[in-house]
Amino acid sequence: MILVFLFSIFTIWLAYELYWKRRNLPPGPCPLPVFGNLLSLNDPPPGYEAFERWTIQYGDVYTFWIVDNFLISITEIEIKWLKVKHEVPPCLKNFFPGTKPFIMMNTFDKIKDTFVRDADTYINKTVPPSSILFRGGEHGVIDSNGATWRDHRRFAISNLRDFGLGKNLMQEKILIEVQEIFSKFDDKLAAGESDLEIPPAFDNAVANVINQILFGYRFDKDPEEFRNLKNIIEKPSELFGRLPVFLAMNIKFVEKILPASMYVKPFMDWKEETFAFFNKQIEEHKREVDMEDLDSESTDYVEAYLKEQRKREIQGDTESFTDIQLVNMCIDLWFAGRGTTTNTTTWAISFVLHHLEVQDKIHEELDRIIGSDRLITTADKNDLPYLNAYINESQRFTNLVPLNTQHATTRDTVINGYSIPRGTGVVAQISTVMNDEETFPAHKSFKPERFIDENGKLKKVDQLVPFSIGKRQCLGEGLARMELFLFLSNFFNRYQISPSKNGLPSMDKSSISRIEPRLFSAVLKRRR
Ligand code: HEM
């Protein structure tokens, strides 16, 4: 009797998972119960090909299912149908596995129609349980919504502008790092070494830039501090690169059944270390910043934030700019600003090692236009179409986020004739757009020439969207573009690279959570 009852419950659950909840959504790949479509991203990792296959099969919109809690997904999808507001008891929330739909927009036109033309409908983010666990709530800018997100995004963008983006100030900071990279490589060349590891020098440089913006100093005085910080930063790639942990981050059920030593304990240790580092910087600023003079120019983000917080407090607002928001903002800007830029820069160099003819063309252009060992600046940018085309193709080919961040609709809407309730997951699938064969023929080949027009000028291709589009578009885009240009142009102006005796860099992108190049070396030779 009990068996029959359990079997009936199981059958109803299966029917719900495989048919009922999918019936009013755009068709897409059949999800597995519990796992949804996530496991297909391993076929092969990191998932570009599955997304391409589904786009060919289903078109510009399809539904993709991600692991979630069964009853939460019921409340989100069926709330209109049930016409009741019901609270799910937390014990059930944690133990009923289910999947949650994400409506994927797979072409540039569809993303523009939705995320740009109807931007406010697509503005919210879905916040995974791991983020709440890590941050102590819905904090920061990457995983927050509403007024908190809007005010903090606006404040961060205006700060980046104040600290010199668009002026020479930011460029000067980056050029100091360019010279630091030169001196590291040159010292080794002078000592007779020529087969050199490439990523660490760029990693350090990018970290110095973002740390200057946030806290006002570079890591030159205390290399030990950077080493410690790097250990903290690199923990997530060890921790989150494994499938069970990745699943635990997204689904409470898996989090509960996984031994604490595999996920919760290392995760919480990592959280503690991260917060300790950032809180220490903030506390030092609190001691040093002159809070009597709130209108004087700030030299870094934390100083500007503390002053803004005090100004708001004076006006009676103690809610919007808080200490917990500040530490989460520092974490967001540090993490989003470092790995993305370092990875793109070092992938770009590894692509050249695989295509030395690209380096010949970069050098030919640099010799013709620059023709000396002077530092290249953003004033030279428009005169270097091939170099820009190379950077564009490197960003397209790096394709940093196979599955872009997950947004949620802020109101009921209609997509391709399907009624989509408020709160449904939506994704601007930029990796598929940048692998679109029609826009980028032979898209699996690295070809900077695709960004050069018949007159030899740089061709603007709207479908190149590594920073995404819409109101959540990357807020560090201006900074990242400046870094990529200054690091790569100056590096190739100074050095000729060739493959290391250890072989070519790996092109493997098989980590689930991050598109990170493996450590690699190259033989460097000074050109000037
Ligand atoms: C090559 C470098 C970079 C790439 C490819 C990149 C890419 C992206 C992408 C795809 C998103 C998601 C947009 C969406 O939700 O649709 C994003 C968001 C974000 N990025 Fe970047 N990024 C880069 C560099 C940076 C830098 C240097 C910073 C910081 C200074 C930064 C800070 C952020 C933040 C804070 C968000 C969240 C914005 C929001 O939710 O409003 N990124 N980035």
Side-chain angles (χ1 to χ4, degrees):
M1 187 64 190
I2 291 177
L3 273 181
V4 172
F5 175 73
L6 288 178
F7 183 73
S8 312
I9 295 280
F10 178 71
T11 312
I12 292 170
W13 174 65
L14 217 56
Y16 175 80
E17 282 288 311
L18 296 181
Y19 167 71
W20 187 256
K21 71 179 189 181
R22 298 173 65 206
R23 74 200 184 287
N24 292 328
L25 294 169
C30 184
L32 288 175
V34 182
F35 295 104
N37 301 111
L38 266 188
L39 298 183
S40 308
L41 303 190
N42 260 334
D43 178 27
Y48 305 125
E49 288 175 30
F51 290 127
E52 275 175 66
R53 279 197 305 272
W54 294 330
T55 303
I56 291 168
Q57 191 173 349
Y58 301 104
D60 57 357
V61 168
Y62 60 79
T63 307
F64 174 76
W65 295 82
I66 296 184
V67 283
D68 193 33
N69 297 311
F70 180 56
L71 287 177
I72 294 176
S73 48
I74 288 192
T75 44
E76 284 176 1
I77 305 169
E78 308 291 318
I79 200 136
K80 276 185 73 183
W81 176 66
L82 291 168
K83 293 202 174 60
V84 284
K85 268 200 160 162
H86 51 285
E87 274 294 310
V88 182
C91 56
L92 291 182
K93 264 190 191 172
N94 291 347
F95 281 101
F96 269 82
T99 54
K100 179 179 162 65
F102 282 83
I103 314 301
M104 309 288 278
M105 318 295 171
N106 309 301
T107 60
F108 179 72
D109 289 345
K110 189 44 86 181
I111 294 176
K112 233 178 143 185
D113 258 3
T114 49
F115 281 75
V116 177
R117 295 207 179 100
D118 190 12
D120 286 334
T121 304
Y122 295 86
I123 208 168
N124 273 2
K125 282 295 253 306
T126 54
V127 183
S130 55
S131 171
I132 307 271
L133 186 67
F134 180 75
R135 296 169 184 280
E138 216 177 283
H139 298 300
V141 65
I142 295 178
D143 281 339
S144 62
N145 290 312
T148 303
W149 165 74
R150 193 194 51 236
D151 289 356
H152 282 81
R153 181 175 167 105
R154 206 175 279 161
F155 187 72
I157 289 175
S158 93
N159 260 266
L160 284 174
R161 212 175 298 125
D162 291 347
F163 297 147
L165 210 61
K167 300 185 226 148
N168 279 339
L169 215 62
M170 190 73 82
Q171 167 156 274
E172 278 164 24
K173 289 189 176 106
I174 301 170
L175 288 176
I176 289 174
E177 301 310 327
V178 166
Q179 286 163 301
E180 186 64 26
I181 293 174
F182 286 172
S183 79
K184 277 186 187 145
F185 286 144
D186 288 353
D187 286 353
K188 292 201 171 137
L189 291 178
E193 291 177 56
S194 61
D195 204 335
L196 307 177
E197 278 181 352
I198 300 296
F202 286 93
D203 192 17
N204 207 334
V206 172
N208 277 339
V209 171
I210 194 72
N211 211 61
Q212 279 230 39
I213 293 170
L214 290 178
F215 303 118
Y217 72 93
R218 309 175 56 241
F219 291 104
D220 54 344
K221 286 191 209 93
D222 189 358
E224 186 60 26
E225 187 187 17
F226 182 61
R227 263 195 297 279
N228 291 341
L229 185 57
K230 232 176 112 55
N231 285 338
I232 300 175
I233 294 161
E234 277 165 8
K235 276 220 176 122
S237 34
E238 290 162 35
L239 194 62
F240 306 148
R242 296 194 295 263
L243 185 65
V245 176
F246 181 74
L247 294 176
M249 285 168 63
N250 290 287
I251 179 166
K252 270 261 177 251
F253 167 71
V254 181
E255 182 194 309
K256 294 279 164 195
I257 57 171
L258 217 58
S261 59
M262 268 185 84
Y263 171 55
V264 174
K265 168 95 175 51
F267 188 87
M268 294 313 274
D269 289 349
W270 173 60
K271 168 191 162 129
E272 219 167 272
E273 283 174 289
T274 311
F275 275 73
F277 172 82
F278 288 99
N279 276 325
K280 181 172 157 263
Q281 311 292 331
I282 293 169
E283 286 312 313
E284 273 169 24
H285 271 68
K286 280 187 178 171
R287 282 194 293 276
E288 284 160 12
V289 172
D290 178 6
M291 286 303 205
E292 299 305 314
D293 186 6
L294 296 181
D295 291 322
S296 62
E297 214 173 291
S298 301
T299 49
D300 57 54
Y301 176 83
V302 174
E303 180 180 347
Y305 193 100
L306 290 171
K307 287 181 180 167
E308 179 68 20
Q309 189 179 22
R310 178 63 59 83
K311 281 186 201 163
R312 287 175 186 235
E313 278 166 7
I314 292 168
Q315 288 161 5
D317 168 10
T318 51
E319 305 280 306
S320 57
F321 272 48
T322 57
D323 286 356
I324 182 97
Q325 258 302 118
L326 172 56
V327 65
N328 274 287
M329 281 304 297
C330 293
I331 292 172
D332 274 354
L333 294 170
W334 221 100
F335 279 72
R338 181 198 142 263
T340 48
T341 314
T342 306
N343 289 346
T344 308
T345 313
T346 46
W347 274 119
I349 295 172
S350 60
F351 299 148
V352 166
L353 287 166
H354 282 262
H355 298 275
L356 290 174
E357 73 285 358
V358 170
Q359 175 168 245
D360 294 341
K361 291 180 189 168
I362 294 173
H363 282 159
E364 185 281 319
E365 184 178 72
L366 288 170
D367 291 346
R368 187 164 35 83
I369 307 291
I370 308 294
S372 77
D373 65 353
R374 73 166 170 86
L375 283 178
I376 296 172
T377 70
T378 48
D380 299 306
K381 200 165 182 217
N382 290 342
D383 299 327
L384 298 168
Y386 189 82
L387 190 101
N388 284 298
Y390 155 66
I391 293 173
N392 284 354
E393 179 67 345
S394 296
Q395 285 214 266
R396 188 193 74 79
F397 213 64
T398 298
N399 215 337
L400 211 54
V401 281
L403 170 63
N404 197 1
T405 64
Q406 291 113 59
H407 293 211
T409 50
T410 54
R411 53 176 82 111
D412 294 351
T413 188
V414 175
I415 302 173
N416 279 17
Y418 290 88
S419 296
I420 304 297
R422 172 174 181 267
T424 306
V426 277
V427 173
Q429 203 17 25
I430 55 173
S431 78
T432 309
V433 172
M434 291 193 287
N435 280 339
D436 175 41
E437 186 61 27
E438 214 170 291
T439 319
F440 301 107
H443 72 270
K444 288 185 182 159
S445 307
F446 184 76
K447 294 205 296 192
E449 288 73 16
R450 63 173 92 247
F451 291 101
I452 297 286
D453 71 13
E454 55 286 0
N455 302 315
K457 300 257 183 295
L458 186 68
K459 189 156 75 181
K460 178 161 169 31
V461 181
D462 289 338
Q463 287 83 348
L464 178 71
V465 282
F467 299 100
S468 196
I469 51 178
K471 290 199 174 173
R472 285 273 185 166
Q473 178 168 355
C474 176
L475 73 75
E477 176 174 349
L479 172 63
R481 284 188 187 283
M482 195 186 260
E483 288 183 273
L484 289 177
F485 176 76
L486 294 174
F487 285 137
L488 290 168
S489 61
N490 282 298
F491 177 75
F492 281 108
N493 198 35
R494 192 166 185 98
Y495 302 107
Q496 163 121 26
I497 59 172
S498 52
S500 150
K501 63 176 181 332
N502 302 321
L504 284 166
S506 163
M507 291 283 108
D508 181 25
K509 291 183 177 176
S510 61
S511 161
I512 301 171
S513 55
R514 290 159 69 121
I515 300 299
E516 203 168 55
R518 306 282 177 271
L519 191 63
F520 66 92
S521 307
V523 174
L524 256 63
K525 198 170 128 213
R526 276 283 298 269
R527 301 179 66 233
R528 301 179 193 283

